[in-house]
Structures are given as C-alpha cells and as structure tokens.
C-alpha cells in the first residue's frame, strides 16, 4: 500500500520501502511542511537497479504496456485536482498553471500509449544495391535497456511523465530520481502506475542526495540511457562522465521573441505578458528577451506594461494568483542581484524590480547591455528585457546571441519574415504568432547548442529509448 501524501516511501521492486531516514519537503511560498519522503542513498539505488534488471527479464507485450499507460491517463484524470494541488504545494506553482500541468501529463500518457501500440522498425530496400539482391531485411525496435531518469523541480509531474511513460511504451524499466524539492508529484505518479497494474520493478523511484544517487546511475553498466532534464551545467557534466551510455539532455534557454511592427501588437502583448511571468518565469521556455521593431516599440510597451502590472502576485494556492514565489530565497536574491548588475550598467526598470512581501514582482527591464546576465544567461525568474531593433537580420542576430537554443518566437503578419525567422533562428523550435513558451506534449521538443541534444515527446523519446536491430534473410 502506498504511504500517505504526507509521508511517502520509495518504490523499489514493487515495494514501498523505508530506510529510517526522511527528508522534509517544504513550501517555497511560506516554508510550511508539505510532506516527508524516505531518503535513499547508493544502496537503495543499486537495489532499484537490481529490480529494474529482473523486471526486464520478463518483457510486457506492447498491448499490455499500452493498456497500463491508458489506465494511468484515466486515473490521473480522476485525480487531476490532487495532482495539481501536490504540484502547487511543493513547487510553489500557482494553481492555474498546476492544473494545466496535470492535464498535460494526462496527454503525455495518452500519447505514450499510442506509441506503444505502433512501435515498429523499418523495411530495408535490399535490392537497391547489387549486394542486397536476393535478400529481405527489416529492423526491429528493441528496448535499449534500463533507463535512468533525472527530473527537475519546475514541472514535477509532466516532465516525470515525459520520461517514464515513453520508457514503458518502449519496453524499458526505469530508475527515477526526481528533484529533491519536488518528489511528491513523482511518487504520486508512481502510485498511479502501480494502481494501473504495472508489474514490480518496471518503475523504481529513489529520492535523496543527487551526488550519491547520480554516481550509481552514471557508474552502473546496467543503465543504458540517462534521460536528464535540468540545468546545462549538471547535464553536460553527466554526459561527459557517462561516455558509454546514451545521455539525453533537455536543458535551459534564455528564450527570445521578436515582435515586428506589422504584428498584431495587442495579441502579442497579451501572450507575452502571460508567458514571461507564468510560474514566476521558471519554465525553460519562459519569455525572457523581447526584441521589438523600433517603429512599434512605444505602442507595444503601452499594451504590454499594463498587462504585466495587472498580474496577481501572491499565494500559489489561490486560484486567482498568476505569479508566485521563485523556488528558493537564494534564487530570488540571485535574480535581484542580476537586476542590480543590469541597472548599474545603464538598464532601466520599467516595471517591478522590487519585492512584494517576500515575492519578486514581475520585472521588465529596458536598455540592458547585451552582455549583462539578464540578456545572455537563463534568468529563471519573473523577468524579461525589452530591446528595440531596426532590421529583422539584427533581431535574429540578437536572438541567436546566447549559448542556448531551445525555442524562440516571432510575431509578424508577413509570411516572408516568419519563414526567414524559422530558417535563421538557431533553436530547436520556432513559434510564429505564439509565445515560444508554447508546448503541446506530442511535439518534438528539445534544443540545440547548450540547450540539449535530444527531442522529447513520446514519439521521439520512444525512438531514443529503443535500438534498431537489423534482421537479414537470405531468400534463395
Ligand atoms: P538542476 O539543479 O540541474 O537539477 C535537475 C535534476 O538533476 C534534479 O533532480 C537534481 O537533483 C539532479 N542533479 C543535480 N546534481 C546532480 C548530479 N551530480 N548527478 C545527478 N543528478 C543531479 O535543475 P533544476 O534547478 O531542478 O531545474 C531547472 C533547470 O532545468 C533550468 O535550467 C531549466 O531551463 C531546465 N529545464 C529544462 C527543460 C527542457 O525540457 N529543456 C524543462 C524544464 C527545466 P536535486 O534536486 O536533488 O539537486
């Protein structure tokens, strides 16, 4: 039986396990105690790998994997309110956004079930070369092996779903290490997977010190793939250390968007105000750098700033709240210091820039130097910069001028400008007349440059989590 929401145990080999040590989970909003989780270390992680290894000795047929995924989607739909409250409590995410995340996780499971049902290899046109005449060949998609999944705090339910649902669709067992700040949403999903009939050992969840657990996942040869979402520094280091494994990275961004003078400014202002500050800017594709064509700069600001100022800052548990806390006081203070750095070098604060109680108000900055941290690094807080530009080439060069490349956007009514942006923006995805914060869960989602090396979305993740095995038949 699962432990209660306030005292969650680890899931290892189908059992809910205690170690005698517990870690507290506290609200990023007011520090109140949300729950406790059992603390794992290297020993429990090895036990989890043993369980994952023995699970894979008895493969589950695709139709059963798909049925389990569908049942998780149904159970999660029924318990969407509880899931949203769990996300909101442990991540400090406003309920509005937490409800969207819970609904998206249902979609992720639904899409993964589809992929489980249609997982096939390719036919190879053998007689296309003289060497292949008289032979028939095709590939099978076989599970890569044990998947280690490491997830971040900011989408504690849906980004866990994006790892464990495709892994099951692909026929891989998983050892999951959720972010220490947000283990409860992950353990809720684990509970739903067991309730949906997942046999023992296919999903194992270990919570505890990242270094201890991470070292085992990196060093153990039974782990064939590490799927990591989180910061660039941790992600690329893991990849260097796990040279013989497939290491799939979904990392940060300093998300740019271009607003051309021919755009619908009203629409752009509305979408960008919402998407620069939702969850206090703590989404990897939160709008951070807004480049506005000089002719439209003042008109855009006239529409944008009142919308930013109307955002409700406060308790994430209140249904009306738009912007809650950043994840930790130290992170809030880091963002404040980046604002100070920019203003000391000539930037102007157009809105926010100060605390509202303990919370940082949505902050809009103009005239930030190009090499200021707010213009070049990932802020991961409720802040965006506004910068005028004169030509589209200049705007694209500015957008490309960071080490990141996850998603970018353009607002324009000119199809040529849209297509130029799609062609020249060096990002994994480009949105046109939509904020680059947009994501639907079936999309291929991922970055280039420092933002990562893979694409998530069940159809794409399942391919990453399988190997192609070639079969060649001599016909005569
Ligand atoms: P983080 O600090 O890098 O942590 C991510 C995960 O890695 C956590 O589970 C963390 O565990 C774990 N970890 C830390 N050090 C480790 C180590 N040495 N070995 C193994 N695991 C280790 O990132 P975060 O602050 O949670 O998340 C924010 C970042 O994620 C931002 O940069 C954001 O842009 C990025 N992100 C990217 C995407 C995407 O899809 N591209 C989506 C969401 C977020 P602990 O929590 O225990 O430290």
């Amino acid at each position: 039986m699962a432990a209660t929401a306030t005292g969650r145990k680890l899931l290892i080999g189908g059992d809910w396990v205690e170690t005698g040590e517990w870690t507290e989970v506290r609200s990023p909003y007011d520090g109140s105690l949300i729950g406790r989780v059992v603390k794992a270390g290297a020993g429990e992680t090895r036990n989890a790998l043993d369980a994952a290894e023995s699970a894979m000795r008895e493969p589950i047929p695709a139709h059963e994997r798909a049925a389990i995924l569908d049942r998780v989607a149904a159970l999660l739909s029924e318990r969407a309110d509880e899931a949203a409250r769990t996300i909101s409590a442990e991540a400090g995410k406003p309920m509005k956004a937490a409800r969207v995340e819970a609904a998206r996780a249902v979609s992720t499971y639904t899409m993964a079930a589809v992929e489980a049902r249609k997982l096939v290899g390719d036919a190879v046109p053998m007689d296309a070369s003289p060497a292949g005449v008289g032979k028939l060949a095709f590939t099978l998609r076989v599970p890569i092996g044990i998947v280690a999944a490491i997830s971040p705090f900011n989408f504690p339910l849906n980004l866990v779903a994006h790892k464990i649902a495709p892994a099951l669709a692909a026929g891989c067992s998983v050892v999951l290490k959720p972010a220490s700040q947000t283990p409860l949403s992950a353990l809720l999903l684990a509970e739903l997977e067991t309730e949906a009939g997942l046999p023992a050992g296919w999903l194992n969840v270990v919570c505890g010190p990242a270094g201890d657990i991470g070292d085992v996942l990196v060093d153990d040869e039974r782990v064939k793939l590490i799927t990591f979402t989180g910061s660039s520094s941790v992600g690329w280091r893991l990849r260097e250390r796990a040279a013989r494994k497939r290491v799939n990275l979904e990392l940060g961004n300093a998300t740019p968007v271009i607003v051309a003078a021919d755009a619908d400014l009203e629409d752009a202002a509305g979408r960008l105000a919402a998407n620069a500050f939702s969850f206090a800017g703590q989404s990897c594709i939160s709008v951070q750098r807004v480049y506005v064509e000089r002719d439209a700069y003042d008109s855009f600001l006239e529409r944008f700033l009142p919308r930013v100022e109307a955002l409700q800052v406060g308790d994430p548990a209140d249904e009306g709240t738009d912007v809650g806390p950043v994840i930790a006081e130290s992170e809030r203070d880091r963002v404040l210091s980046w604002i100070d750095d920019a203003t000391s070098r000539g930037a102007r604060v157009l809105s926010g820039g100060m605390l509202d109680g303990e919370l940082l108000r949505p902050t809009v900055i103009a005239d930030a130097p190009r090499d200021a941290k707010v213009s070049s690094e990932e802020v991961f807080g409720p802040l965006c910069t506004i910068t005028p530009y004169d030509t589209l080439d200049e705007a694209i060069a500015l957008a490309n001028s960071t080490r990141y490349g996850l998603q970018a956007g353009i607002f324009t009514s000119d199809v040529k400008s849209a297509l130029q942006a799609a062609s020249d923006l060096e990002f994994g995805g480009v949105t046109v007349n939509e904020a680059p914060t947009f994501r639907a869960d079936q999309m291929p989602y991922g970055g280039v440059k420092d933002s990562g090396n893979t694409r998530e979305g069940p159809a794409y993740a399942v391919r990453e989590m399988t190997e192609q095995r070639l079969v060649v038949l001599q016909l005569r």
Side-chain angles (χ1 to χ4, degrees):
M1 223 188 77
T4 65
T6 50
R8 287 247 180 213
K9 299 176 187 175
L10 311 174
L11 179 60
I12 300 178
D15 295 322
W16 295 98
V17 172
E18 281 198 55
T19 61
E21 282 191 87
W22 294 80
T23 309
E24 290 183 342
V25 180
R26 290 191 172 271
S27 158
Y29 175 63
D30 60 11
S32 59
L33 188 66
I34 307 295
R36 298 186 312 153
V37 289
V38 168
K39 184 173 173 187
E44 288 73 30
T45 310
R46 281 191 207 97
N47 295 343
L49 287 169
D50 293 345
E53 184 181 30
S54 63
M56 283 195 71
R57 287 198 199 106
E58 289 189 39
I60 310 174
H63 74 94
E64 283 180 26
R65 303 199 304 269
I68 293 167
L69 291 162
D70 276 336
R71 283 198 291 274
V72 178
L75 288 167
L76 190 52
S77 268
E78 282 165 25
R79 290 172 67 177
D81 185 64
E82 176 189 351
R85 286 182 195 288
T86 306
I87 296 167
S88 176
E90 66 178 355
K93 182 174 285 193
M95 278 302 291
K96 281 184 199 171
R99 288 192 197 288
V100 173
E101 182 177 346
R104 281 185 48 194
V106 174
S107 168
T108 303
Y109 272 91
T110 306
M111 298 296 164
V114 170
E115 296 310 319
R117 290 189 171 96
K118 62 178 210 196
L119 185 58
V120 286
D122 299 318
V124 183
M126 289 307 283
D127 67 353
S129 77
V133 172
K135 292 182 166 62
L136 176 70
F138 56 91
T139 60
L140 300 172
R141 285 245 160 222
V142 297
I144 192 168
I146 298 174
V147 167
I150 303 177
S151 55
F153 76 82
N154 63 337
F155 285 83
L157 191 82
N158 193 35
L159 289 184
V160 169
H162 266 289
K163 301 192 177 310
I164 65 180
L168 179 58
C172 299
S173 59
V174 178
V175 175
L176 166 71
K177 194 216 94 60
S180 294
Q181 174 61 43
T182 54
L184 299 172
S185 305
L187 287 162
L188 173 62
L189 265 191
E191 183 190 326
L192 298 185
E193 288 210 358
T194 51
E195 214 178 308
L198 184 73
W202 283 89
L203 173 63
N204 306 277
V205 187
V206 285
C207 307
D212 297 355
I213 294 172
D215 285 354
V216 176
L217 298 178
V218 164
D219 293 339
D220 197 302
E221 288 182 1
R222 293 174 295 175
V223 174
K224 299 299 179 207
L225 181 148
I226 298 178
T227 167
F228 173 88
T229 302
S231 58
S232 294
S233 52
V234 175
W236 289 111
R237 179 83 192 103
L238 276 175
R239 183 157 182 269
E240 277 168 28
R241 290 174 58 209
R244 296 174 70 93
K245 303 185 196 303
R246 200 176 284 178
V247 181
N248 291 347
L249 303 175
E250 290 280 2
L251 309 171
N253 201 29
T255 310
V257 61
I258 296 167
V259 182
D262 60 19
D264 178 339
L265 296 183
E266 199 74 25
D267 182 58
R271 289 175 194 270
L272 297 181
N275 285 294
F277 303 107
S278 170
F279 191 30
Q282 297 168 114
S283 155
C284 44
I285 41 177
S286 187
V287 169
Q288 179 180 327
R289 299 177 290 141
V290 185
Y291 299 108
V292 187
E293 194 167 354
R294 200 174 299 276
D295 288 350
Y297 186 77
D298 291 336
S299 332
F300 175 77
L301 279 180
E302 273 167 28
R303 291 167 171 80
F304 182 66
L305 291 177
R307 287 184 162 91
V308 174
E309 271 146 25
L311 293 170
Q312 195 171 317
V313 179
D315 186 343
D318 289 346
E319 299 283 348
T321 295
D322 299 299
V323 182
V326 288
I327 197 72
E329 206 177 294
S330 55
E331 285 300 297
R332 183 200 69 189
D333 293 346
R334 173 187 57 76
V335 179
L336 280 169
S337 76
W338 286 20
I339 296 171
D340 284 348
D341 166 66
T343 51
S344 70
R345 298 169 59 199
R348 290 177 298 126
V349 173
L350 302 183
S351 184
M354 85 277 277
L355 296 183
D356 181 340
E358 292 298 311
L359 306 182
L360 183 54
R361 283 206 65 81
T363 298
V364 181
I365 291 188
D367 306 331
R370 277 177 70 167
D371 61 348
K373 282 187 169 152
V374 292
S375 312
S376 57
E377 289 299 323
E378 180 180 43
V379 173
F380 228 56
L383 184 157
C384 74
T385 61
I386 308 277
T387 307
Y389 72 85
D390 293 305
T391 66
L392 184 56
D393 284 343
E394 180 196 354
I396 289 172
L398 285 166
N400 286 340
S401 68
T402 72
R403 61 193 174 103
Y404 293 111
L406 186 48
Q407 282 197 166
I410 181 166
F411 284 83
T412 178
S413 58
D414 177 28
V415 74
K416 275 195 193 157
S417 302
L419 291 174
Q420 186 185 339
S423 148
D424 295 351
L425 285 167
E426 295 159 359
F427 289 79
V430 175
T431 60
V432 177
N433 294 330
E434 175 54 285
T437 320
F438 175 78
R439 181 179 181 188
D441 292 280
Q442 70 276 27
M443 284 168 33
Y445 177 78
V448 297
K449 295 160 68 179
D450 263 11
S451 292
N453 61 358
T454 189
R455 295 293 177 272
E456 275 189 351
Y460 309 92
V462 161
R463 293 183 79 79
E464 296 276 1
M465 291 172 177
T466 49
E467 294 280 18
Q468 294 216 66
R469 179 173 301 153
L470 175 70
V471 182
V472 181
L473 283 83
Q474 180 64 40
L475 294 178
R476 53 187 172 271

